[in-house]
Amino acid sequence: MSQPSVSVCGRTPSGLRFSSARMWMAASMVTAVFMLSNSPTPLYVRWQAQLGFSSGTLTVIFALYIAGLLGTLLVAGQLSDHYGRKPVLIPGLLAALAACWLFAHADSIAMLALGRLLSGVSVGVIVSAGMAAVVDAGGIERKSTAALLASVAMVLGAGLGPLWAGAAAQTLARPIAPIFAVEAVVLLAALGVALRVPAHRAPTRGPLRLRMPHVPAANRLHVLCGIATFGPGITATSFVLALGPSLLARLLGVRSPSLAGAMACAMFFTAVGVQFLVRKWPVARIFRASAAATAVAMASLILAIHASFTPALIVAALFAGAGQGLGQLGGLMLIGLNVPDHNRAQANAVLNIGGYIPAGLLPVATGYLIDAVGLAVAGTAFALVLGTIALAGGAWAGRRAAGA
């Protein structure tokens, strides 16, 4: 008689393979939603010309995405940890599909603003419930791998979206409807995945009392370390997404949606690649590298502005992507390894709230400063402030993570 299969953490070897397949399927939802989140990037200059709004209004439209994201993060993690991932994921994906329709038919600032708000809602769902679902699917033995996959899925989608939109805007006479039709198909496939997500509920079945997202006291330092480096990194990439195309067109004289989209794509693909390169590094070292990359990005931004040197702007985008990717990976690794399953979605929410607050406020302030004093002065001020914050946050997070 043959011996029974040896199980690992309650799973057979075939069960582990199934867990791996579920992990990749869950990650595909993250990629789909983040494709939508950055697809408008190469189109902002076109919409700005058609609808006639200022740089300040442009950054407010961009920041409404962050407002929707932050508002959703306040509740999505708690709902996901209490009721399960699926009941939260499905409405989030429906919000993304509604945003697609609004972008495809936008003929007013209000439609653009509502589309950005709903896309932020969908991202708020996916970075809490969706990324937690990836880690759930990985099982106990694959927490580090699942955290890496969740992080990579996010930045992969964030890069593919503007790459596709920029290429379509460069080659098609009327690109907007086809761009978002493709996005809708991708999101419908993600909705099919969400319908197959297994139940995952908190051990307690008591009534839910909504509050600010909660992280156990023993894990708060882990989340704060991630915020200290992820925050500056994602603020740098938000600047590139919101104002990079305008900077190319107005300051550097380059009017190319495909270049704007490719620059955003390269920024996020750099974030993907660097995470694979450093995945075995100690977390403290990852945090320090994140801060250094963001600081280099800001120095390159200043060079691009004052030397009117387009390659320096591209270098700034690549290092901004590296800074975000490293800070995000370090934060997710600490959460995945240390935060209990029933608090993980809320911890993901807090990490992203802490990162996206400066990512919304600083670019909006810079947008209005551009209207007041010009692109060169405002961009330089932004770079100096963010570079300083990044270096200070990275030094602190590196010390704390080394001693945690």
Side-chain angles (χ1 to χ4, degrees):
M1 180 181 293
S2 61
Q3 294 295 318
S5 299
V6 178
S7 66
V8 181
C9 296
R11 293 181 175 90
T12 66
S14 61
L16 285 172
R17 287 194 295 272
F18 177 66
S19 176
S20 179
R22 284 176 46 204
M23 189 168 62
W24 283 92
M25 289 178 66
S28 72
M29 295 186 295
V30 178
T31 297
V33 170
F34 272 92
M35 278 187 67
L36 172 69
S37 72
N38 288 336
S39 290
T41 295
L43 305 174
Y44 285 137
V45 172
R46 177 186 291 262
W47 279 321
Q48 195 171 15
Q50 290 176 349
L51 302 177
F53 50 83
S54 67
S55 295
T57 302
L58 170 59
T59 54
V60 169
I61 291 171
F62 180 84
L64 281 171
Y65 157 81
I66 296 177
L69 186 155
L70 292 176
T72 305
L73 287 175
L74 292 175
V75 298
Q78 297 175 72
L79 293 171
S80 172
D81 284 337
H82 190 85
Y83 294 113
R85 312 304 184 206
K86 185 188 299 186
V88 180
L89 287 169
I90 291 173
L93 288 164
L94 292 175
L97 286 164
C100 259
W101 186 90
L102 287 164
F103 288 136
H105 297 86
D107 57 6
S108 67
I109 294 174
M111 290 183 73
L112 282 180
L114 182 57
R116 287 301 286 166
L117 183 69
L118 288 175
S119 65
V121 169
S122 66
V123 170
V125 166
I126 214 70
V127 298
S128 52
M131 296 177 85
V134 178
V135 178
D136 295 343
I140 296 172
E141 294 296 316
R142 298 187 176 189
K143 284 188 176 182
S144 294
T145 301
L148 173 64
L149 181 58
S151 184
V152 167
M154 170 182 167
V155 292
L156 182 64
L160 287 175
L163 180 65
W164 153 241
Q170 189 75 36
T171 57
L172 300 178
R174 297 182 177 179
I176 292 178
I179 287 170
F180 292 104
V182 170
E183 297 286 356
V185 171
V186 173
L187 287 165
L188 285 170
L191 184 60
V193 173
L195 291 169
R196 299 178 61 186
V197 169
H200 176 95
R201 297 189 58 172
T204 176
R205 298 298 178 94
L208 173 65
R209 296 178 180 177
L210 289 175
R211 56 183 179 179
M212 294 295 291
H214 174 71
V215 178
N219 301 121
R220 288 171 189 166
L221 180 63
H222 303 129
V223 178
L224 287 174
C225 286
I227 290 171
T229 53
F230 175 55
I234 200 167
T235 301
T237 58
S238 293
F239 178 89
V240 173
L241 291 171
L243 294 169
S246 295
L247 198 154
L248 278 170
R250 292 169 52 185
L251 197 61
L252 303 178
V254 179
R255 297 181 180 275
S256 170
S258 62
L259 178 58
M263 185 173 69
C265 177
M267 177 172 70
F268 287 110
F269 278 19
T270 298
V272 173
V274 76
Q275 290 182 62
F276 279 105
L277 288 174
V278 307
R279 65 188 185 277
K280 295 184 180 179
W281 282 11
V283 173
R285 188 178 176 188
I286 292 174
F287 283 148
R288 294 188 185 104
S290 171
T294 302
V296 171
M298 294 302 98
S300 298
L301 176 61
I302 292 172
L303 176 62
I305 289 171
H306 291 280
S308 297
F309 190 46
T310 302
L313 180 61
I314 295 172
V315 169
L318 296 178
F319 275 95
Q324 176 187 328
L326 291 166
Q328 176 181 298
L329 175 62
L332 288 175
M333 284 176 67
L334 285 182
I335 289 171
L337 292 170
N338 295 283
V339 177
D341 290 353
H342 57 279
N343 289 117
R344 189 178 300 123
Q346 292 183 72
N348 287 346
V350 172
L351 173 67
N352 282 276
I353 288 170
Y356 275 103
I357 286 175
L361 294 178
L362 283 178
V364 168
T366 304
Y368 280 102
L369 191 60
I370 288 170
D371 293 335
V373 301
L375 188 52
V377 173
T380 301
F382 170 86
L384 290 173
V385 169
L386 187 62
T388 301
I389 292 171
L391 290 173
W396 177 82
R399 287 195 304 270
R400 293 291 184 178

